Amino acid sequence: MKRNENLVPLSRDHHFGLLCSWKIRQGIKKNVSYDRIKKYINYYWQENLSRHFEIEDLVLPETENNILQIQMEKEHIEIRKLINTINQTNDIRILGDFANALSNHIRFEERMYFPHLEEHLSDVKLNNIGAQLEQIHQKENDFYQDEFWK
């Protein structure tokens, strides 16, 4: 099924999240040091994933069946907890747990939550999501193109 154009920016982020999970698994398989993988996870969290979660929590509306919304929010919390645990331990299993939680979360959103939104939200509501995502993207672009940075 083709993704509704208004949700495509979030799905594009998901592609990079799956790539992050794959890189972590490859690092574990190749015995890359815990600290190096931890630095990569923290970089990805700070530069991408934390903002992605904030945006989803902000722009995705509740629907009649908010069980899926609740699951999304619980998984966001679980992943945040894993980030904290990664920074407080040297247990390599936690790195794998994070990679699995992230990829499972993305698959849930792509296979269940987004199709649910596409089926149950009106075109007006989906267009509103798209407009909000565009506005957020534009504000971020404006920030980086500001005279201050030149």
Side-chain angles (χ1 to χ4, degrees):
M1 180 178 155
K2 187 175 179 182
R3 180 68 58 230
N4 181 285
E5 66 185 20
N6 295 295
L7 297 175
V8 166
L10 297 174
S11 286
R12 198 172 296 124
D13 287 349
H14 288 165
H15 167 77
F16 293 107
L18 291 173
L19 182 60
C20 174
S21 294
W22 179 82
K23 286 180 177 182
I24 293 165
R25 289 185 186 112
Q26 290 300 303
I28 293 167
K29 195 182 297 184
K30 294 179 180 186
N31 294 317
V32 172
S33 75
Y34 184 91
D35 284 339
R36 187 170 173 192
I37 296 172
K38 177 175 83 170
K39 284 179 186 177
Y40 172 69
I41 291 170
N42 281 311
Y43 173 82
Y44 186 75
W45 171 254
Q46 292 167 0
E47 297 298 320
N48 299 324
L49 193 56
S50 64
R51 183 71 178 136
H52 175 82
F53 283 4
E54 288 173 18
I55 291 169
E56 284 184 338
D57 293 340
L58 178 69
V59 305
L60 297 179
E62 289 188 25
T63 60
E64 293 171 15
N65 177 3
N66 70 349
I67 292 170
L68 298 176
Q69 174 102 20
I70 292 167
Q71 181 175 340
M72 178 192 73
E73 291 168 357
K74 283 182 179 178
E75 290 178 4
H76 285 181
I77 291 167
E78 176 191 355
I79 291 169
R80 285 182 179 104
K81 286 180 182 176
L82 284 167
I83 293 285
N84 289 331
T85 303
I86 286 167
N87 288 306
Q88 296 173 1
T89 185
N90 285 326
D91 185 348
I92 197 106
R93 293 174 297 182
I94 300 298
L95 302 176
D97 291 347
F98 173 81
N100 290 337
L102 181 57
S103 62
N104 289 340
H105 172 68
I106 291 168
R107 301 245 186 258
F108 158 74
E109 286 188 352
E110 289 293 329
R111 293 177 182 165
M112 295 180 70
Y113 187 53
F114 286 5
H116 172 78
L117 294 176
E118 290 167 332
E119 185 178 334
H120 291 92
L121 294 179
S122 67
D123 288 342
V124 170
K125 287 185 179 182
L126 286 166
N127 289 338
N128 185 38
I129 291 169
Q132 288 180 65
L133 291 173
E134 178 60 33
Q135 185 178 20
I136 290 166
H137 181 72
Q138 188 59 49
K139 282 181 183 178
E140 289 171 352
N141 281 344
D142 290 348
F143 175 78
Y144 288 109
Q145 293 176 4
D146 188 279
E147 274 302 310
F148 176 81
W149 298 105
K150 292 183 181 176

